[in-house]
Amino acid sequence: MKYINVFVFYMFLCCAGYAQGGHAYMTSPDGGMYAFDKIKRLTFDTAQVNVYYKLLFRPDSTKTDEYRKGQTVLMVSDKYTRFGDYYRIKADSIIDYLAASKRNAHDEKANEEFYDAANNTSFGFITLNDLAKSQITVQVEQLNKYQYTYPAPEFNWTLQPGDTLINNIPCKKATCRYAGRNFIAWYAESVPLPYGPYVFGGLPGLVMQLYDDKQNWIFTNNGISKATPHDIMYLYKEKKYRNVTRDEALSAYRNEKENYLSLAIESGEIEVVKKGPDFDKHLAPRPSNMLELEW
C-alpha cells in the first residue's frame, strides 16, 4: 500500500503520464532508488520497417486549444504489425540496461534518460496484429492491466477526391467511420504497406496522416526507416494483465481514467494521510476523450 499526500499524488499524475499507466519499474524498498527489474517480454518477431507518427490529441474534447503531444511507432514485419508509444519502447530499453548491473543502475545519465522517456510517454495502448490470423491483441493499463484479442476490424473506406503531399510523398484521401468517430486518412500508394496507426489499415498504401473530423486525435507521419535487429515486436509478459473481452477492457479503462484518484483510494492503492487543498475537487471525474468512443 502507498501512503501519500493525495494532493501531491494528483499533481504527480498530471506531470508524469507514464506513472498513471501503472509503469512501476523501480522495485524493492530494500534495493533503494537504484533497484530495477528487467522488462518481461513475449517476443513475436523482429521488425523490418518502422513507421513513425507524431501524435496530437486533446485530453479534454471541450478544450479545443489544448493538445498533448506524443510520438508513436508502427513496426512492420511479414507476419505482424505492432503499434505503440515510441518513448515507452525507449524506456523499456533503458530499464533493461539499468537492471543489468549495479553499476548500470547508478548511471545517472541513463536514469535521466529513463525519466525523460517516461514523462514523454503519452499513448497507453499497445497493439499486435497477427496478419495471418487477422486478429489483434491489445494491452492497455490504468490502475489495472488488461489484455484482449479480437478480430481485426474491417474498415469501410470511401475513397475521396483530393490529394496532398506529406513528407514530400503524394497522398490520396479516404474516409471511414470507426468506433463513434468519423476519420479522414491520407495514404500513399507509392508505399505499398496497407497499414496505419493504431488498428487502422486496409487502404492501397501506407496511411501517412489520420485524424477524426473533430481533430481530437491526429497522427502524422514523421519518418520511415529500415528496422534493426534490435527492433523486436513484443507484448508484456506479466501475470497482472487480465485477459478480458474488448468491451470489458475498454469500459474498465474509461472508468479508471475518469475516476483514477478516487478508485486508487478506494482500492487501497494509495491511502490518504493528509488532504490537500481542494481535495473533493480532485476526486471529481476527469474527461477521458478516448480514441474509441464506442465498442
Side-chain angles (χ1 to χ4, degrees):
M1 182 181 298
K2 300 174 184 176
Y3 298 85
I4 192 167
N5 181 316
V6 72
F7 178 68
V8 173
F9 179 74
Y10 176 83
M11 296 303 296
F12 175 72
L13 292 181
C14 293
C15 296
Y18 210 73
Q20 184 172 326
H23 307 275
Y25 288 117
M26 279 192 161
T27 62
S28 175
D30 293 334
M33 67 174 293
Y34 293 107
F36 300 89
D37 282 338
K38 285 189 176 181
I39 302 299
K40 296 178 181 179
R41 298 178 176 86
L42 182 61
T43 300
F44 291 83
D45 205 354
T46 300
Q48 298 169 348
V49 177
N50 289 329
V51 182
Y52 300 93
Y53 294 94
K54 180 178 71 173
L55 170 62
L56 293 174
F57 69 96
R58 295 185 182 122
D60 185 341
S61 62
T62 66
K63 298 179 179 179
T64 57
D65 294 330
E66 295 184 12
Y67 280 97
R68 187 174 175 188
K69 297 179 181 180
Q71 179 64 52
T72 59
V73 58
L74 172 69
M75 307 173 77
V76 181
S77 74
D78 291 333
K79 298 179 180 179
Y80 300 94
T81 65
R82 183 195 191 275
F83 186 79
D85 194 290
Y86 166 81
Y87 286 105
R88 184 169 183 179
I89 295 174
K90 184 176 180 180
D92 287 349
S93 178
I94 298 171
I95 282 291
D96 283 345
Y97 167 79
L98 292 170
S101 68
K102 290 184 179 180
R103 180 176 180 180
N104 288 5
H106 287 77
D107 185 328
E108 294 296 340
K109 182 178 179 181
N111 275 270
E112 291 173 4
E113 289 175 349
F114 166 70
Y115 286 111
D116 181 65
N119 286 328
N120 279 294
T121 298
S122 60
F123 189 73
F125 287 71
I126 300 166
T127 68
L128 187 89
N129 189 350
D130 186 321
L131 301 176
K133 295 180 180 179
S134 191
Q135 67 180 24
I136 297 175
T137 298
V138 181
Q139 290 185 330
V140 62
E141 57 190 272
Q142 278 290 315
L143 270 175
N144 299 293
K145 301 184 179 188
Y146 302 97
Q147 177 173 307
Y148 59 94
T149 300
Y150 73 114
E154 295 183 6
F155 293 94
N156 187 22
W157 292 106
T158 300
L159 304 186
Q160 304 281 5
D163 57 76
T164 191
L165 288 175
I166 299 175
N167 290 343
N168 293 317
I169 299 175
C171 297
K172 294 183 177 181
K173 186 178 182 181
T175 58
C176 76
R177 184 167 178 81
Y178 172 71
R181 296 188 190 271
N182 297 314
F183 285 93
I184 298 94
W186 292 95
Y187 65 97
E189 290 184 320
S190 61
V191 186
L193 296 172
Y195 312 121
Y198 194 42
V199 298
F200 289 85
L203 282 166
L206 180 69
V207 174
M208 297 292 288
Q209 187 175 59
L210 177 81
Y211 52 91
D212 67 281
D213 61 354
K214 305 294 186 184
Q215 296 197 346
N216 284 288
W217 288 83
I218 306 169
F219 297 90
T220 304
N221 176 265
N222 59 351
I224 304 173
S225 67
K226 182 179 179 181
T228 73
H230 300 290
D231 294 326
I232 59 173
M233 306 167 77
Y234 63 93
L235 294 174
Y236 294 104
K237 189 178 180 181
E238 297 181 29
K239 292 182 180 180
K240 289 185 178 180
Y241 277 97
R242 303 178 184 178
N243 284 295
V244 296
T245 66
R246 178 170 178 259
D247 178 84
E248 289 170 332
L250 295 179
S251 297
Y253 175 85
R254 179 175 59 190
N255 182 43
E256 292 174 11
K257 190 171 183 68
E258 293 177 351
N259 302 285
Y260 188 91
L261 189 55
S262 60
L263 290 174
I265 295 170
E266 181 182 323
S267 67
E269 179 71 14
I270 63 172
E271 181 171 324
V272 180
V273 295
K274 181 180 180 181
K275 292 184 179 181
D278 299 323
F279 175 76
D280 291 336
K281 179 180 178 181
H282 296 315
L283 291 181
R286 297 176 296 151
S288 56
N289 199 25
M290 294 165 58
L291 189 152
E292 292 159 302
L293 297 177
E294 300 173 358
W295 47 83

